[in-house]
Amino acid sequence: KNVKVRKAAEKISRKFFKLILKPIRVLAFHNVSDFYDCHLSIKEDWMSTDQFKKEILLLKKQYDFISIVEAYKHLKHDLFRKKKFCVLTFDDGFQSLKNVLPWLEELKIPVTLFINAKYALGEGWGPQYEAYEKEMDPNVNMEELSKQLYLSMNEINKMQSPYITIGLHGYEHLDFSSLTIDIFKKNIDSCFTVLKNHPRYIPYMAYPWGRYNKSTQQVLKDMSIIPVFMNGDVNYKYKDGISRECLSSI
């Protein structure tokens, strides 16, 4: 009986929030480039530059673009929200970002880059990419390919535009829901150590593939880091993290 009452109350609460609060959409992208290169992007993570620009310009007519930090403040404090807000984020720190960041800055659109610090340091690459590349070419040189895949820390450190913020994506791109808490915490500590001194660093962490559990959530809470999900939801009020939609490969 108590469960039914709680579920009914939650349903009423959601309907009430939708009446007084416009949702905040947080969008996630990965690779954006003029032409698809199977060696530099997984198809599901890619969007053409033309398509990306069309989507952004269409969204710009419907939403006010704000940073993820501004979105967090709205979600925490808004009692009423009449404006429609949208946030842009990019995961993994791919080289292809250089195709669109100057254009977004010209439009004064804020963007957050969630970085895997190990790959930016040139010390590795995502395990999903290694499996993908070796399926196409067992003799692929991953060390050379990774330089074409990821932004270097030198390049990232030069990104000091007021429209760019730098967040955490883990030292490595791993399924954090399957790791021990000690390994997870070490992973986040290592990423934080590399990125914390960046002038545009923010304490936000996007879970790779959106995978997490109660223990990882507690670790981030203890470290005063805001969790960012990949669950396809929009946001009304802040509750344990910020939801995102993946808009790659539309």
Side-chain angles (χ1 to χ4, degrees):
K1 184 178 180 180
N2 289 336
V3 173
K4 289 183 178 180
V5 171
R6 187 177 71 250
K7 287 185 176 180
E10 289 175 352
K11 187 175 182 180
I12 292 171
S13 178
R14 285 195 298 271
K15 287 185 177 180
F16 175 71
F17 281 134
K18 288 180 180 180
L19 288 174
I20 63 172
L21 293 167
K22 292 291 184 182
I24 296 178
R25 297 182 69 185
V26 182
L27 310 180
F29 297 88
H30 292 82
N31 259 307
V32 178
S33 60
D34 293 347
F35 303 100
Y36 177 68
D37 185 332
C38 64
H39 293 289
L40 297 178
S41 181
I42 296 173
K43 187 69 174 179
E44 291 75 17
D45 290 346
W46 178 79
M47 181 182 285
S48 74
T49 306
D50 286 343
Q51 183 66 28
F52 175 81
K53 289 182 176 181
K54 287 178 183 177
E55 295 291 341
I56 297 304
L57 292 175
L58 181 61
L59 289 165
K60 199 171 186 295
K61 293 179 181 179
Q62 305 173 55
Y63 298 89
D64 285 350
F65 280 101
I66 59 175
S67 71
I68 199 168
V69 175
E70 292 174 289
Y72 172 75
K73 292 176 182 177
H74 280 291
L75 295 172
K76 288 282 285 187
H77 303 299
D78 284 357
L79 297 178
F80 300 94
R81 188 164 54 246
K82 294 182 179 181
K83 284 189 174 183
K84 296 171 70 176
F85 293 117
C86 188
V87 177
L88 292 191
T89 67
F90 285 88
D91 287 1
D92 303 346
F94 290 119
Q95 279 280 346
S96 64
L97 286 175
K98 292 188 290 189
N99 293 320
V100 293
L101 288 180
W103 180 74
L104 291 171
E105 186 173 1
E106 286 178 11
L107 295 179
K108 299 182 178 180
I109 295 178
V111 59
T112 296
L113 313 183
F114 288 110
I115 302 295
N116 293 115
K118 182 175 182 177
Y119 313 148
L121 290 171
E123 297 177 357
W125 45 84
Q128 77 277 22
Y129 264 91
E130 182 166 12
Y132 170 75
E133 294 292 344
K134 288 192 172 181
E135 186 175 337
M136 290 189 292
D137 180 6
N139 299 313
V140 64
N141 185 330
M142 285 303 301
E143 289 186 8
E144 288 301 316
L145 186 61
S146 66
K147 295 176 184 177
Q148 300 175 56
L149 277 174
Y150 301 106
L151 293 165
S152 69
M153 273 312 302
N154 185 49
E155 291 172 309
I156 293 168
N157 285 332
K158 290 179 180 178
M159 294 179 177
Q160 300 191 21
S161 164
Y163 294 102
I164 294 176
T165 46
I166 304 296
L168 309 161
H169 201 40
Y171 191 64
E172 298 180 72
H173 197 288
L174 303 175
D175 179 355
F176 290 143
S177 67
S178 66
L179 303 179
T180 67
I181 290 306
D182 286 342
I183 293 175
F184 171 70
K185 191 173 188 308
K186 182 178 179 181
N187 192 298
I188 301 306
D189 280 336
S190 296
C191 192
F192 171 72
T193 298
V194 174
L195 299 178
K196 66 179 180 180
N197 293 321
H198 194 290
R200 302 297 298 161
Y201 167 77
I202 56 172
Y204 289 64
M205 214 292 288
Y207 286 111
W209 297 296
R211 297 172 188 169
Y212 67 97
N213 55 41
K214 289 183 179 179
S215 297
T216 62
Q217 285 287 85
Q218 187 60 51
V219 169
L220 295 188
K221 183 177 181 180
D222 293 342
M223 296 176 71
S224 299
I225 294 173
I226 308 300
V228 181
F229 309 128
M230 186 78 85
N231 52 15
D233 292 340
V234 297
N235 301 272
Y236 290 93
K237 298 287 287 184
Y238 182 80
K239 185 180 180 182
D240 301 325
I242 296 175
S243 296
R244 291 191 300 168
E245 310 163 63
C246 185
L247 290 190
S248 297
S249 195
I250 293 181

